[in-house]
Amino acid sequence: MQWQDHAIILGVKRHGETSVIAEVMTRDRGRHLGLVRSGRSRAMQPVLQPGNAVEVMWRARLDEHLGEFRVEPVMLRAARLMETATAVYGVQAMGALLRLLPERDPHPHLFDALEVILDHLHNPADAGELFVRFELAVLNDLGFGLDLAECAATGARSDLAYVSPKSGRAVSRSAGAPWADKMLVLPPFLGAEGNHAADFDSLAAAFHLTGFFLHRHVYEPRGMEAAAARDGFVQAALKALNPALRTLSGPNDVSA
């Protein structure tokens, strides 16, 4: 058995004295593991860093075997991803989200989205909005997609202001007003009109929205907690959009 594909490094685990087991997200074969011989060498360690784009060739005698990777670098982003807190936490948080999906299950649109987000993690405003959309895409692929295109009560596609915590569907401002205190806020940039950029308040609401449904549908049933990296990313992204929070942080605070 043999195949070749574009991939992004998600992480590695030591295996023996010199090798590692690499975890990658491939475009056509989903999240995949493989043994990289001499993966701890000076030549390979910089290549096998989370966020790096690589070309992988996988070989095994049988399809169900772990197999071996031959890895060639394509774009080494790892050094740049260490420059900001949103990037440091973001690459870890997206890896944790992808681990919620079955191994070897293809999700090419998530691979494409991951590549785009990795190139924008240095900009907190862009990174936060893109990350929320990535969480929504993962929820959808897990079978828990939200319907934010039209009002669940009236079918209206304008002035959508809430999301029902029961159905995960959007609700217009007028239809949801009597139950506003029980509704989740729908950030304008996620609505059907989608003509607003994310700001501090809307991004905070978006993180709360996706976090609520991830906890209800994914983490709680599996007896899991959200990855700590998500909290780090959320704090870093929001802090970058709020000057008051940045002022309160010390110069060496990694989440600044």
Side-chain angles (χ1 to χ4, degrees):
M1 300 291 299
Q2 177 176 310
W3 52 258
Q4 188 169 339
D5 203 352
H6 301 297
I8 295 171
I9 303 293
L10 298 180
V12 298
K13 293 192 298 185
R14 294 176 59 175
H15 184 80
E17 295 185 1
T18 62
S19 300
V20 300
I21 295 176
E23 179 184 30
V24 303
M25 182 64 181
T26 67
R27 192 180 193 285
D28 298 324
R29 293 168 176 81
R31 185 172 58 86
H32 212 289
L33 302 179
L35 178 70
V36 181
R37 297 193 183 278
S38 300
R40 296 174 59 197
S41 67
R42 290 186 178 181
M44 289 305 300
Q45 281 186 357
V47 176
L48 298 175
Q49 295 298 314
N52 283 344
V54 296
E55 191 80 10
V56 295
M57 178 179 288
W58 180 83
R59 292 179 178 175
R61 190 169 64 85
L62 296 175
D63 185 62
E64 59 267 26
H65 288 177
L66 173 65
E68 294 186 17
F69 279 145
R70 179 186 298 173
V71 182
E72 297 292 337
V74 174
M75 182 181 295
L76 302 185
R77 304 184 179 93
R80 181 162 53 85
L81 291 174
M82 295 297 292
E83 294 176 355
T84 63
T86 50
V88 170
Y89 289 121
V91 68
Q92 298 176 47
M94 287 189 292
L97 284 168
L98 291 171
R99 292 183 186 103
L100 297 173
L101 300 167
E103 188 183 343
R104 304 189 181 190
D105 192 15
H107 296 269
H109 59 291
L110 289 181
F111 176 88
D112 293 340
L114 179 62
E115 281 211 307
V116 171
I117 300 172
L118 288 171
D119 288 332
H120 289 81
L121 282 176
H122 63 283
N123 185 322
D126 291 343
E129 183 172 341
L130 289 169
F131 183 85
V132 165
R133 295 185 185 279
F134 190 78
E135 288 189 316
L136 289 172
V138 171
L139 274 168
N140 186 67
D141 281 23
L142 288 170
F144 307 111
L146 308 187
D147 182 357
L148 307 180
E150 63 180 31
C151 175
T154 66
R157 289 178 170 266
S158 61
D159 200 28
L160 302 177
Y162 307 106
V163 177
S164 166
K166 293 184 178 180
S167 68
R169 299 185 63 188
V171 180
S172 68
R173 193 177 308 278
S174 58
W179 302 276
D181 60 333
K182 298 180 180 179
M183 294 283 189
L184 297 166
V185 173
L186 174 60
F189 74 87
L190 289 180
E193 296 168 294
N195 55 0
H196 296 78
D199 57 17
F200 178 87
D201 291 333
S202 63
L203 192 57
F207 285 137
H208 179 68
L209 177 68
T210 53
F212 176 87
F213 287 104
L214 281 167
H215 177 74
R216 167 181 281 187
H217 294 307
V218 183
Y219 297 128
E220 189 174 42
R222 300 185 187 190
M224 299 171 58
E225 295 290 338
R230 184 186 191 269
D231 288 338
F233 177 83
V234 169
Q235 293 174 24
L238 292 177
K239 191 175 294 184
L241 294 177
N242 190 321
L245 291 178
R246 290 203 300 269
T247 302
L248 293 173
S249 300
N252 297 321
D253 187 345
V254 72
S255 61

